[in-house]
Amino acid sequence: KTGCIVMCGIVGIASRENFSSRDLIAALKRLEYRGYDSFGFATNSGQMEKFVGEINENNINDVSSSTMISHCRWATHGGVTRENAHPHSDCSNQLAIVHNGIINNYIEMKNELISKGHRFRSQTDSEIIAHFFEEQLKTKDMNETAKEFFEIVEGEFAVLLTRRDDDKIYAFKRGSPLVLGLADGMNILASDIYAFSDKTNRAVFFNEEEFA
Ligand code: GLU
C-alpha cells in the first residue's frame, strides 16, 4: 500500500463522429489544475504525440479520429522526458495506454516481460501495462486479460487503453479517480468531471476494481 495520491489527469473520448486532437487536448487542459510536467495523446490508428511542458491545444497537430486517449503526467518513476510522457505503447504498436497512479510491482513485472522478449522505451512504471496487455492478448481475450490485470498488478491506477482499429476505449480503475461522461454522440473518460462539464452533466463514477 502506497497511501500516496498522484494527481495528473487522463481524458479519453470515444465518439460516433471523428473529432480533433485539439478538442481532446482542450479537455485535458481543464485538468491542468491537478499539476503536470508533460503530456501526450494517441489515436486508435497508431498515431501518438508527446510533449514536455505546457499544454496548449493550438500548438499540437490537428489529428482527426473517433477514438483517442490523452494524459498529463506528474512524474513519479523516470525523469521528465518525452520518452517517459504518456501514452506508452507495446512492442508492435498495436495498443496504447495512459496511466494515473503508481504500479508497486513494476520491477518484477518488467523483468518478467523482458525475459519474454519485450523491449521497453521508457523508465516509467506505467509502460509495463502496455506490454502486459500485449503479452496476455496473444492467448486471451480482453475480459480474461482485464481480470488478470487486477490480480497481478499491485498499486494504484486509472488506466485507459486503445487498440489498433478498435473503436472502444478500455478503462480500469483502482485507487486513482475515474469518471465516465455521457455526452451527445460521445463517451468521455476522465480523472475529473471538470474535463467534460462543458459537454454534459451526465456522469457515472467508477467503483474500485471496475473495468469498462
Ligand atoms: N507513475 C507514472 C509515471 O511516472 C504515472 C504518473 C502520473 O500519474 O502522472 O509516469
Side-chain angles (χ1 to χ4, degrees):
K1 183 169 161 35
T2 59
C4 145
I5 296 171
V6 184
M7 294 292 276
C8 104
I10 60 184
V11 180
I13 299 180
S15 171
R16 265 186 220 128
E17 308 278 327
N18 278 6
F19 59 94
S20 165
S21 52
R22 292 188 173 165
D23 295 334
L24 177 73
I25 299 304
L28 185 69
K29 194 174 167 67
R30 292 168 69 95
L31 300 183
E32 69 182 350
Y33 73 90
R34 297 167 63 85
Y36 68 95
D37 48 56
S38 50
F39 69 102
F41 70 91
T43 70
N44 65 339
S45 49
Q47 284 154 301
M48 186 183 288
E49 293 193 17
K50 311 200 211 190
F51 310 84
V52 172
E54 223 177 290
I55 300 176
N56 183 340
E57 67 273 24
N58 300 314
N59 291 347
I60 65 159
N61 278 329
D62 185 1
V63 175
S64 177
S65 174
S66 65
T67 310
M68 289 193 244
I69 58 173
S70 65
H71 182 271
C72 51
R73 178 175 186 235
W74 183 284
T76 66
H77 294 64
V80 179
T81 63
R82 221 188 125 265
E83 288 73 36
N84 288 342
H86 301 213
H88 294 288
S89 55
D90 60 330
C91 297
S92 51
N93 292 322
Q94 290 300 306
L95 59 86
I97 66 98
V98 293
H99 165 229
N100 170 212
I102 292 175
I103 306 301
N104 296 334
N105 59 340
Y106 83 98
I107 295 176
E108 299 94 286
M109 290 189 70
K110 187 168 179 173
N111 288 338
E112 199 186 319
L113 288 159
I114 287 171
S115 75
K116 288 182 175 151
H118 290 263
R119 298 174 316 277
F120 283 74
R121 304 180 184 102
S122 80
Q123 282 74 52
T124 63
D125 51 339
S126 309
E127 191 183 347
I128 63 113
I129 299 167
H131 297 277
F132 175 82
F133 276 93
E134 179 179 35
E135 185 62 34
Q136 299 295 319
L137 289 169
K138 284 178 190 164
T139 54
K140 299 184 182 84
D141 69 15
M142 184 55 90
N143 282 326
E144 284 174 282
T145 301
K147 201 166 162 271
E148 292 208 353
F149 180 71
F150 282 102
E151 274 165 19
I152 293 170
V153 173
E154 293 166 17
E156 297 183 351
F157 49 81
V159 171
L160 302 184
L161 182 152
T162 57
R163 298 173 81 179
R164 193 69 79 94
D165 303 323
D166 181 344
D167 58 3
K168 297 185 186 72
I169 294 175
Y170 301 88
F172 309 84
K173 187 248 193 288
R174 175 192 292 155
S176 307
L178 191 60
V179 57
L180 168 65
L182 305 170
D184 226 10
M186 60 168 64
N187 287 337
I188 307 165
L189 289 145
S191 307
D192 191 313
I193 53 167
Y194 287 126
F196 54 74
S197 57
D198 57 334
K199 295 185 181 68
T200 182
N201 56 12
R202 294 171 65 206
V204 182
F205 288 86
F206 278 66
N207 289 316
E208 292 306 315
E209 310 286 317
E210 263 184 348
F211 157 55

